[in-house]
């Protein structure tokens, strides 16, 4: 650890050194000096370990480290101010609660309080050593003054130079003790002062407690102990929400955090069982909190329904609710999921009666979903509206600025054309959805009654909009990939099966539900002359590569069949093609040359599951055919053929392994079970039989493999 010893400190640092115990480490002194210079009430220094793309918190001042626990170690790519300051080598300023919610919703969800923040890199021209952030109460002006900017920049530059000199002397800096000491008290002129102050406080008729920055009780008078029901000895050194059982609720700890971070007076009421309502008022400073506790008689008389004091309005969304919603949003997959979550959880939590989710695409708004509007046409008219149109939804998406309208008069004053299009609601929040700096769309929340949006409500709604934007951005990308995958799969498989003389056919295909929901299973029916052919196969994998290779194999089989190759030669040619393509994927395949006139079929197999044959009398046989290895392994492989009966009424079931492979189930048992079901239902119409055989797979939410099924029934009309 390097102590301050050079003579190049600023005047502010020198002044701080006078107030600081001798030997305080470099980072702590630099941070507290900087905070004093700009009037900040908390801050932290991060160091970058070596060349790793991370920042590690080295020291915190002014507030407990637990407040910043989620960001003790952050990646340089993280969407938070200190990482952005390092990435862009500039000062990052966040002017308040609403600005934080709009730009950094992840932080605003955890710390939904009014405060301002500045983050700066600690860097020389050649190297980044770390970063610093400092915070001010919410009363700080929304803009950083030039003097504050100069002091911050100069102090971080000086710290970087000291770190550079320390590195040149091979002195390694690491974590330092956090700076939470209160310093000397003023106003005590003689040794009797503290004693007399304690006597004075003891005589007061209401409870008083003193909490340090970590929330621990340093002093409590007898009235406080009596009101809380815990002796003074049981309170000292503990946190109120830990030592008082009925205060053991995250809501009360959250109020303490709100007071310390915002440096605003915070009030709340709480029920001491069985029926005593107590009013708590928290007076914060940079050294801790003073808490006044009194009986809330008005609340007790009014009853639990009116248990909220006038100076302590309930938060729109509690921190635990916000975190729960954030977690739920991370689990959404599709746009439908996002709309459903907003409808079921977010809109009710914020008191909204209706919502609309609008996407910004190609310069226009597109309606993704809506709920709660008496006349859906009101929302549907927004579909296709240009982002340049004079509407609040388009303006929010185009400019990234939220708009709150507390009454219809306020809305119509700014947007007169909306007088002709009432939607049945009386207040609105138009929240821009911005993800990675790009406009994703707008979330519209409508309220049945006029509603004054407090600064806290605006910040919470803006913060939730940031989280919705990230979820919606992922969902839109997922839906595009999903549509692309299904479109590609549909293009590579037959749109319909041709009608063949003497043979009835039907097929089913189910993609895997993991990955891109696209795979390498394929089937085809080729009406070649003189005899038609059928094929089913499975290219290894569930991705675009497997699907593309599947398309090449299916095309090759069709081509070799059309030029008249025999089944064995079709398999050999396809095998050589796959090897020549240089693919690292293998494929299984089953090929049939059909001769319904003679009631015969000639088959060739390459590592594929054996087909099932159900005869007209209901008996089912597993056709364990001779065959060769998987396609794409051995260029010299041969594929022997087998001729089997296919008499009128007989059904051939060709399938891929996804239909019979289940974890923990023997493959032979699974094939036998498939044969049993084929035997029981084989007399049903072929479409119904196909649905029955794939039934449980069609409704499964989790399919680990593709499923393809091709059914062929011989008729006597060939």
């Amino acid at each position: 650890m390097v102590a301050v010893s050079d003579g190049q400190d600023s005047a502010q640092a020198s002044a701080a050194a006078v107030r600081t115990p001798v030997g305080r480490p470099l980072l702590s002194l630099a941070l507290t000096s900087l905070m004093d210079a700009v009037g900040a009430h908390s801050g932290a220094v991060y160091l970058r370990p070596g060349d790793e793309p991370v920042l590690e918190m080295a020291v915190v001042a002014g507030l407990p480290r637990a407040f910043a626990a989620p960001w003790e170690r952050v990646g340089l790519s993280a969407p938070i101010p200190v990482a952005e300051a390092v990435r862009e080598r500039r000062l990052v300023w966040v002017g308040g609660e609403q600005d934080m919610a709009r730009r950094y919703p992840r932080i605003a969800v955890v710390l939904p309080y009014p405060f301002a923040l500045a983050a700066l890199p600690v860097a020389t021209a050649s190297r980044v050593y770390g970063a610093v952030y400092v915070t001010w109460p919410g009363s700080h002006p929304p803009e950083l003054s030039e003097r504050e900017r100069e002091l911050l920049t100069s102090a971080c530059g000086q710290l970087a130079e000291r770190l550079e000199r320390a590195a040149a002397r091979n002195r390694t800096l690491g974590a330092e003790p956090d700076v939470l000491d209160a310093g000397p008290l003023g106003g005590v002129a003689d040794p009797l002062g503290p004693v007399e102050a304690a006597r004075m406080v003891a005589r007061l008729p209401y409870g008083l407690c003193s909490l340090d920055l970590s929330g621990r009780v340093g002093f409590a008078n007898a009235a406080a102990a009596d009101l809380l029901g815990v002796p003074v000895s049981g309170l000292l050194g503990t946190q109120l929400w830990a030592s008082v059982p009925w205060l053991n609720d995250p809501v009360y700890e959250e109020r303490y955090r709100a007071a310390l971070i915002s440096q605003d007076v915070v009030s709340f009421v709480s029920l001491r069982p069985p029926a005593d309502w107590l009013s708590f008022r928290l007076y914060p400073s940079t050294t801790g909190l003073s808490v006044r506790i009194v009986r809330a008689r008005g609340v007790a008389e009014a009853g639990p329904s009116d248990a909220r004091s006038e100076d302590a309005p309930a938060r729109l969304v509690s921190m635990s609710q916000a975190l729960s919603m954030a977690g739920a949003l991370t689990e959404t997959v599709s746009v439908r999921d996002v709309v459903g979550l907003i409808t079921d959880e977010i809109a009710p939590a914020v008191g909204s009666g209706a919502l609309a989710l609008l996407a910004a695409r190609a310069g226009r708004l597109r309606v993704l979903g809506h709920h709660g509007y008496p006349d859906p046409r009101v929302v549907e008219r927004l579909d296709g509206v240009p982002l340049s149109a004079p509407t609040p939804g388009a303006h929010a998406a185009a400019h990234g600025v939220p708009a709150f309208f507390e009454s219809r008069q306020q809305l119509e004053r700014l947007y007169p054309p909306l007088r002709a299009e009432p939607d049945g609601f009386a207040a609105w929040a138009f929240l821009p959805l911005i993800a990675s700096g790009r406009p994703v769309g707008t979330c519209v929340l409508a309220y049945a009654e006029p509603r004054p949006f407090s600064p806290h409500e605006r910040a919470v709604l803006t913060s939730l909009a940031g989280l919705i934007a990230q979820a919606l951005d992922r969902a839109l990308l997922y839906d595009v990939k999903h549509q692309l995958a299904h479109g590609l799969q549909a293009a590579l498989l037959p749109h319909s099966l041709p009608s063949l003389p003497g043979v009835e056919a039907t097929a089913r295909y189910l993609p895997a539900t993991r990955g891109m929901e696209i795979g390498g299973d394929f089937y085809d029916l080729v009406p070649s002359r003189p005899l038609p052919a059928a094929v089913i196969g499975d290219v290894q994998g569930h991705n675009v590569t497997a699907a593309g290779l599947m398309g090449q194999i299916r095309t090759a089989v069709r081509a070799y069949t059309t030029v008249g190759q025999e089944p064995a030669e079709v398999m050999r040619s396809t095998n050589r093609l796959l090897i020549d393509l240089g693919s690292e994927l293998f494929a299984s395949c089953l090929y049939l040359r059909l001769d319904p006139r003679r009631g015969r079929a000639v088959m060739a197999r390459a590592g594929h599951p054996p087909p099932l044959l159900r005869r007209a009398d209901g008996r089912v046989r597993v056709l364990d055919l001779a065959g060769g290895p998987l396609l794409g392994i051995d260029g010299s492989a041969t594929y022997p053929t087998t001729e089997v009966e296919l008499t009128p009424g007989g059904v051939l079931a060709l399938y891929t392994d996804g239909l019979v492979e289940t974890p923990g189930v023997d493959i032979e048992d699974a094939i036998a079970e498939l044969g049993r079901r084929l035997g029981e239902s084989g007399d049903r119409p072929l479409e119904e039989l196909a649905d029955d055989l794939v039934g449980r797979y069609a409704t499964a939410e989790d399919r680990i493999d593709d499923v393809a099924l091709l059914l062929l029934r011989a008729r006597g009309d060939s």
Side-chain angles (χ1 to χ4, degrees), residues 199-498:
R199 289 173 178 167
M200 177 190 72
V201 170
R203 291 191 291 265
L204 293 175
Y206 45 80
L208 284 178
C209 292
S210 175
L211 310 184
D212 66 14
L213 293 176
S214 296
R216 293 185 296 264
V217 178
F219 172 85
N221 66 357
D226 180 61
L227 288 167
L228 295 174
V230 178
V232 171
S233 60
L235 294 173
L236 296 179
T238 70
Q239 295 168 319
L240 279 181
W241 50 89
S243 57
V244 181
W246 45 273
L247 286 178
N248 188 13
D249 188 306
V251 169
Y252 303 125
E253 183 181 359
E254 191 261 348
R255 306 307 291 155
Y256 140 79
R257 288 171 175 258
L260 278 186
I261 294 177
S262 67
Q263 291 292 292
D264 289 335
V265 176
V266 171
S267 301
F268 64 91
V269 293
S270 180
L271 174 65
R272 175 187 170 182
D276 290 333
W277 288 94
L278 300 182
S279 173
F280 293 77
R281 196 167 182 87
L282 283 59
Y283 298 87
S285 76
T286 57
T287 61
L289 290 168
S290 295
V291 183
R292 190 193 69 171
I293 309 169
V294 297
R295 295 187 184 279
R297 286 190 173 83
V299 172
E301 293 168 4
S305 61
D306 298 319
R308 191 176 300 118
S309 62
E310 292 182 2
D311 59 353
R315 286 193 171 271
L316 182 65
V317 177
S318 70
M319 184 167 62
S320 59
Q321 281 180 297
L323 291 174
S324 175
M325 292 177 190
L329 282 167
T330 63
E331 297 174 1
T332 55
V333 176
S334 65
V335 171
R336 179 180 294 181
D337 294 340
V338 176
V339 174
L341 181 67
I342 299 172
T343 300
D344 296 338
E345 295 191 33
I346 295 179
V350 300
S352 171
L355 68 95
L357 195 62
L358 312 175
R361 292 177 178 169
R364 294 182 180 273
L365 290 178
R366 297 296 177 189
V367 178
L368 299 178
H370 57 85
H371 178 78
Y373 286 90
D375 185 359
R377 291 174 296 180
V378 171
V379 180
E380 291 162 3
R381 282 197 293 264
L382 298 175
D383 197 66
V385 170
L387 293 181
S388 57
T391 67
H395 189 272
H399 299 279
V401 178
F404 300 91
F405 300 97
E406 300 180 351
S407 66
R408 171 157 286 279
Q409 292 77 12
Q410 194 178 78
L411 177 70
E412 293 175 352
R413 187 168 59 251
L414 288 177
Y415 298 95
L418 296 183
R419 291 177 183 146
E421 301 177 355
D423 61 3
F425 291 92
W428 299 264
F430 291 86
L431 307 173
L433 304 179
I434 308 296
S436 302
R438 296 177 294 102
V440 177
T442 301
C443 179
V444 184
L445 298 174
Y447 298 83
E449 302 293 336
R451 182 186 187 93
F453 293 94
S454 69
H456 171 74
E457 286 179 295
R458 295 175 184 233
V460 168
L461 291 173
T462 306
S463 176
L464 288 173
L467 297 171
I468 292 170
Q470 295 172 25
L472 181 60
D473 194 37
R474 292 193 308 270
L476 289 169
L477 180 60
Y478 169 83
D479 283 355
V480 168
K481 288 183 176 180
H482 192 266
Q483 293 168 6
L484 173 64
H486 278 256
L488 176 60
Q489 192 81 56
L492 294 174
L493 291 172
H495 295 289
S496 61
L497 295 177

Side-chain angles (χ1 to χ4, degrees), residues 129-155:
Y129 290 93
V132 168
Y133 79 77
V134 290
T135 69
W136 292 263
S139 57
H140 188 283
E143 298 297 332
L144 197 63
S145 70
E146 283 302 317
R147 182 174 183 277
E148 289 172 325
R149 186 178 294 269
E150 290 172 3
L151 288 170
L152 290 168
T153 304
S154 173

